[in-house]
Amino acid sequence: MPMDKKRIATLAGTLVLAGAVVAAGVYGPSVWKVFRQQSSITDSVVIQSPAVDGNKATDGAKDTVLPDGTAPPETVSPTATEPSTINPPPQVNAGSKNKYREPDTSQIDLAPSVATYFGENALGNDAKTLIFGAAWNIHEYVDGYLYGPAAGPQLNEEDLKKYIVFHKTLLDKQFKNEANVSKAAALTGYLDVLLNRGIDAYDSKDKTRIEQFHQEIHDLDAHLMRNEVNSKIYGATPFATKRT
């Protein structure tokens, strides 16, 4: 399916004209409502660029495509758990729902393994905020999808796929405006493959691949962008680091 760049641009323009951009560049349900109304636009968005072979292991290091001459970071090798089944927590009362939480940018605390990709000589604050918002938002909805209303807000497979496409479109647009993006190619290249992998997993409705994507988006959000010392690390990204 060819990429329709005109329609991508139309989507971005629609979001701006609708006045749905959230302060600080964090995009939540307000923008998502506009995005869902533009479903006819997103139908032509390519979801495999580069293609991800579903028969390959889905750890980030193996599938990450880096520009020539770019060395991957020297970090712990990814060891994403291969789940045989997904065991959600026990059912709870319908009233115990985990509603959507707006991204809290005060929690941004970059892990050392990715901190060098941001700053005066690499990605700027706008890119950092968008990556943080994408990781936070997608993580919430993936938790809700896998583990029910008590774990996070709800979207079905088709809408979750489009939600990931939405965030990827915003990131792609931002990276094109970053003067020193080439100095962060290891990270931006990985993010491109990661989000394509998530889009493809939800498009195929493959629960095993969705859980593997969950491990990566969890690590990106809680470990790499927030460096939460008490959060679990799956080791599912090429930037995973050990807790001291």
Side-chain angles (χ1 to χ4, degrees):
M1 183 186 300
M3 175 181 288
D4 192 330
K5 294 183 179 179
K6 182 177 180 181
R7 293 191 176 188
I8 290 284
T10 301
L11 169 61
T14 300
L15 294 175
V16 174
L17 291 174
V21 177
V22 179
V26 176
Y27 299 82
S30 297
V31 181
W32 173 236
K33 290 178 182 178
V34 177
F35 178 74
R36 291 185 67 181
Q37 293 171 2
Q38 305 300 318
S39 59
S40 61
I41 293 174
T42 62
D43 288 343
S44 295
V45 175
V46 65
I47 65 171
Q48 289 294 305
S49 177
V52 177
D53 185 349
N55 296 320
K56 293 181 180 179
T58 57
D59 69 66
K62 293 180 182 177
D63 281 340
T64 301
V65 178
L66 303 178
D68 292 341
T70 301
E74 295 181 1
T75 54
V76 178
S77 298
T79 55
T81 306
E82 289 284 352
S84 55
T85 58
I86 297 174
N87 297 315
Q91 292 294 318
V92 295
N93 293 333
S96 301
K97 292 185 178 180
N98 189 338
K99 296 182 180 180
Y100 172 81
R101 297 176 301 129
E102 291 285 352
D104 181 359
T105 55
S106 68
Q107 293 188 28
I108 296 178
D109 182 16
L110 300 175
S113 57
V114 298
T116 55
Y117 297 111
F118 300 89
E120 293 183 0
N121 297 318
L123 298 175
N125 285 332
D126 289 344
K128 178 170 65 177
T129 301
L130 276 180
I131 295 170
F132 170 76
W136 172 300
N137 282 319
I138 295 171
H139 188 192
E140 279 196 74
Y141 282 104
V142 172
D143 277 354
Y145 172 85
L146 286 175
Y147 306 121
Q154 303 292 290
L155 284 176
N156 60 29
E157 291 100 340
E158 182 64 21
D159 279 345
L160 237 170
K161 179 187 74 173
K162 291 180 179 180
Y163 194 54
I164 300 170
V165 170
F166 164 70
H167 281 286
K168 184 178 183 301
T169 301
L170 294 174
L171 287 173
D172 288 347
K173 185 173 184 292
Q174 179 61 42
F175 293 153
K176 290 178 181 178
N177 294 328
E178 292 286 324
N180 297 312
V181 68
S182 62
K183 296 181 179 179
L187 177 61
T188 60
Y190 171 69
L191 292 174
D192 184 69
V193 173
L194 166 62
L195 295 179
N196 273 334
R197 186 155 42 236
I199 293 164
D200 187 59
Y202 277 100
D203 189 49
S204 65
K205 301 182 181 181
D206 185 322
K207 289 294 182 70
T208 296
R209 292 165 68 188
I210 289 171
E211 171 56 25
Q212 291 169 338
F213 173 69
H214 164 255
Q215 292 176 12
E216 288 192 79
I217 203 69
H218 167 92
D219 280 2
L220 175 63
D221 175 28
H223 171 38
L224 301 182
M225 297 306 295
R226 286 191 277 164
N227 200 21
E228 291 186 341
V229 295
N230 295 322
S231 69
K232 180 175 182 178
I233 296 180
Y234 291 98
T237 82
F239 306 97
T241 55
K242 294 181 179 179
R243 298 291 190 205
T244 56

